[in-house]
């Protein structure tokens, strides 16, 4: 069972990560539905403006000033800048290195709203995955998730984060990977380089990291099938939390994990009641 402090940190991933990585909304026994600290992304449609370039520039400059003053409705300001699209990007890039974390976050948030229109900014966004501010790191991961194939440029940095001594940064790496995993194809070398890190993190002493790895692995479906021989031994791990999270991995994998039914069945006699319950639920899911 996760402790309360771990539950608080679990909100970094939370239910939003399940949705972001395409997992079935299966809730961890120890989890609660956590609310993200970040604003929900409005559904924006970027239309080419009919105003003259001079008028557009003046409008962007006014909005940037409003953003810096932090006095106006920041959601409205952000939406207006995102709706302007490409012309606003050169004015947002300097904010990515601003000393104020709230401005860095605002910039990555707006660029994320622009989606693939702002994919040229991926090289500037990648370093912010290691920003000193957690909100900026999380916002950057969100933004990268909207950048399409250009987000592959972030994979080396994400892999570095997965190995970071700071568990919170490992969580950032998992969240970022959850955001961009859809660009990975089954045959990609990039995916093959990611799998060993995820398997390793299943054994992480921080159970929040372990569960996050389970979620991302599970989201990969058939693509993660080659990793099964290294995943299955973790069903016998000494830590019951890791056994539970490994069961979640197999449950989320679905069809590729059906070959593991005999090993899962053996956990119905586990000494830990939570492991037994999770094993029963996983078997029911895989047999349906």
């Amino acid at each position: 069972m996760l402790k309360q402090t771990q539950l608080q940190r679990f909100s970094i991933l939370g239910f939003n990560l399940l949705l972001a990585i395409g997992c079935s909304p299966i809730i961890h026994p120890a989890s609660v539905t956590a609310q993200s600290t970040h604003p929900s992304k409005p559904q924006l449609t970027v239309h080419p403006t009919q105003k003259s370039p001079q008028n557009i520039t003046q409008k962007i400059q006014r909005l940037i000033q409003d953003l810096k003053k932090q006095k106006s409705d920041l959601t409205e300001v952000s939406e207006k800048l995102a709706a302007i699209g490409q012309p606003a990007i050169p004015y947002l890039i300097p904010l990515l290195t601003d000393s104020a974390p709230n401005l860095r976050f605002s910039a990555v948030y707006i660029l994320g709203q622009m989606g693939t229109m702002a994919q040229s900014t991926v090289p500037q966004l990648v370093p912010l995955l290691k920003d000193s501010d957690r909100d900026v790191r999380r916002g950057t991961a969100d933004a990268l998730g909207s950048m399409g194939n250009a987000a592959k440029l972030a994979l080396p940095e994400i892999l570095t984060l997965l190995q970071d001594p700071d568990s919170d940064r490992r969580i950032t790496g998992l969240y970022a990977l959850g955001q961009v995993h859809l660009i990975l194809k089954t045959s990609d070398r990039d995916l093959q380089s990611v799998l060993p890190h995820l398997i390793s993190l299943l054994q992480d002493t921080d159970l929040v990291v372990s569960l996050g790895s389970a979620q991302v692995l599970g989201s990969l479906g058939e693509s993660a099938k080659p990793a099964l021989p290294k995943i299955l031994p973790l069903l016998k791990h000494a830590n019951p939390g890791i056994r539970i999270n490994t069961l979640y991995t197999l449950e989320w994998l679905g069809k590729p994990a059906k070959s593991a039914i005999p090993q899962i069945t053996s956990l119905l006699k586990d000494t830990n009641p939570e492991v037994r319950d999770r094993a029963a639920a996983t078997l029911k899911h895989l047999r349906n």
Side-chain angles (χ1 to χ4, degrees), residues 33-232:
T33 302
Q35 299 297 319
S36 172
T37 57
H38 305 285
S40 58
K41 293 185 178 182
Q43 297 299 311
L44 295 176
T45 302
V46 179
H47 299 288
T49 179
Q50 300 300 315
K51 293 183 178 181
S52 69
Q54 183 178 359
N55 287 340
I56 296 173
T57 298
Q58 291 173 348
K59 181 177 181 180
I60 293 171
Q61 290 173 337
R62 285 197 302 270
L63 290 170
I64 293 292
Q65 286 304 311
D66 288 342
L67 205 61
K68 289 181 176 180
K69 292 175 182 177
Q70 301 285 298
K71 291 181 179 179
S72 304
D73 182 337
L74 296 184
T75 300
E76 183 180 352
V77 172
S78 297
E79 289 179 11
K80 287 180 178 179
L81 282 166
I84 290 171
Q86 189 75 36
I89 291 176
Y91 296 87
L92 292 168
I93 288 178
L95 299 185
L96 295 175
T97 53
D98 195 276
S99 59
N102 56 342
L103 286 180
R104 298 198 300 277
F105 174 77
S106 293
V108 298
Y109 176 77
I110 294 166
L111 291 170
Q113 293 304 303
M114 293 183 188
T116 54
M117 182 179 294
Q119 62 184 8
S120 63
T121 65
V122 168
Q124 286 84 15
L125 288 170
V126 169
L128 294 179
L129 285 171
K130 290 187 174 179
D131 195 88
S132 58
D133 184 86
R134 177 188 290 176
D135 285 346
V136 175
R137 296 197 299 270
R138 170 71 181 270
T140 301
D142 283 331
L144 288 169
S146 69
M147 298 291 177
N149 285 335
K152 272 195 176 186
L153 292 173
L155 282 176
E157 195 75 8
I158 291 172
L159 292 180
T160 300
L161 281 170
L162 295 180
Q163 303 171 72
D164 197 283
D166 184 340
S167 62
D168 192 68
R169 289 176 182 264
R170 296 199 296 279
I171 290 171
T172 296
L174 287 167
Y175 183 79
L177 189 58
Q179 293 293 320
V180 307
H181 90 285
L182 291 174
I183 65 174
L184 301 177
K185 307 301 181 184
T186 305
S187 59
D188 275 0
R189 289 182 181 179
D190 291 319
L191 175 59
Q192 301 311 312
S193 69
V194 166
L195 287 177
H197 294 286
L198 292 175
I199 294 168
S200 176
L201 290 180
L202 272 178
Q203 307 172 67
D204 200 276
T205 54
D206 188 310
L207 291 182
V208 180
V209 175
S210 175
L211 179 59
S213 181
Q215 291 175 317
V216 178
L217 270 170
S219 75
L220 295 174
E222 291 282 350
S223 299
K225 189 174 181 178
L228 272 177
K230 294 186 178 180
I231 293 173
L232 295 181

